Amino acid sequence: MHLSLSHLASALFLAGLAAGQDTSVRKVKNAFRAADIPADLALAFKPTALLDVSLPQASGRPLTLHAGIQVPRDDTAGPPTFRVTGNVGAGPFVVAMIDPDAPTPQSPSSAQIRHFLGGDFVNRGGLLVNSTPAISQFLQPTPPAGSDAHRYIFLLFKQSAGFADQTLVDSTTSIAKFNISEFASTTQLGNPIAGTFMLVAPNPAT
Ligand SMILES: *[C@@H]1O[C@H](CO)[C@@H](O)[C@H](O)[C@H]1NC(C)=O
């Protein structure tokens, strides 16, 4: 018996994934496509940069996502910090986090849930710093008991000139039934320039 090259390659690939953040725009794009995200969001995803999303942990180092990582729900308390890698300029930028799978991926009748929406992020040597309060504060994933894992998708947009005056969403607007593609189109954000996502399942029953 011998280990085939393709097995070895996929083992190395998985080891690389387990090690941390996204390192390739192409791989992120492929992971989005494999998870049906552009189709389900009705959004073109042609990233030109990498969005690093780091979740602080109760002990130890923050967890930095790579596209498609499965994260235990208890490790997602956040709030996340964001970094960008790529030639994207100084900003400002908009960051959104959405769940298209609520309450379940099979029947997402309340999707999308807006888990985070913030503008006025500026690029400080890669770190994205938010100079104004978020429109929707970060909300930890809470997939309901019995559901399959949900996709929690982070998207980075270049902020449009009119974004600061948008009236579609404020801190009192329901976070359910959000539509990121409609929102991005109405506020002239265009398509995201970067993104990543994680899978989070309900806590095991106790
Ligand atoms: C969101 O809006 C777009 C139009 O911008 C539409 O094509 C799409 O079906 C909508 N998605 C949902 C889940 O309603």
Side-chain angles (χ1 to χ4, degrees):
M1 200 184 116
H2 72 283
L3 190 63
S4 80
L5 259 185
S6 69
H7 278 121
L8 186 60
S10 57
L12 288 173
F13 178 65
L14 290 174
L17 285 185
Q21 73 217 51
D22 291 314
T23 53
S24 150
V25 168
R26 186 177 51 80
K27 280 185 193 163
V28 174
K29 190 177 168 195
N30 288 344
F32 268 60
R33 197 171 46 213
D36 291 327
I37 292 171
D40 289 353
L41 300 188
L43 198 67
F45 185 65
K46 294 174 179 156
T48 58
L50 294 168
L51 177 65
D52 277 353
V53 177
S54 290
L55 294 163
Q57 300 300 307
S59 64
R61 296 169 52 195
L63 174 68
T64 300
L65 306 185
H66 58 76
I69 186 176
Q70 179 123 17
V71 180
R73 197 245 162 198
D74 287 347
D75 294 349
T76 62
T81 56
F82 305 112
R83 298 187 65 89
V84 64
T85 306
N87 191 10
V88 295
F93 302 95
V94 172
V95 178
M97 172 190 179
I98 53 164
D99 170 8
D101 295 324
T104 66
Q106 291 79 7
S107 183
S109 53
S110 50
Q112 301 152 8
I113 306 293
R114 193 174 62 255
H115 276 261
F116 180 82
L117 181 64
D120 300 325
F121 279 92
V122 291
N123 184 354
R124 293 261 183 274
L127 189 64
L128 293 172
V129 181
N130 192 353
S131 56
T132 57
I135 298 166
S136 301
Q137 296 289 346
F138 175 75
L139 183 74
Q140 183 177 8
T142 48
S147 173
D148 288 341
H150 292 197
R151 297 166 291 175
Y152 294 88
I153 304 161
F154 296 86
L155 299 169
L156 180 70
F157 299 87
K158 285 200 161 158
Q159 185 166 321
S160 51
F163 183 81
D165 300 322
Q166 68 84 23
T167 54
L168 289 174
V169 175
D170 64 26
S171 58
T172 67
T173 315
S174 168
I175 61 168
K177 297 269 190 183
F178 184 59
N179 183 328
I180 188 65
S181 123
E182 201 173 83
F183 180 81
S185 152
T186 309
T187 56
Q188 294 171 327
L189 292 176
N191 292 316
I193 59 168
T196 194
F197 69 100
M198 63 180 169
L199 303 173
V200 182
N203 278 336
T206 48

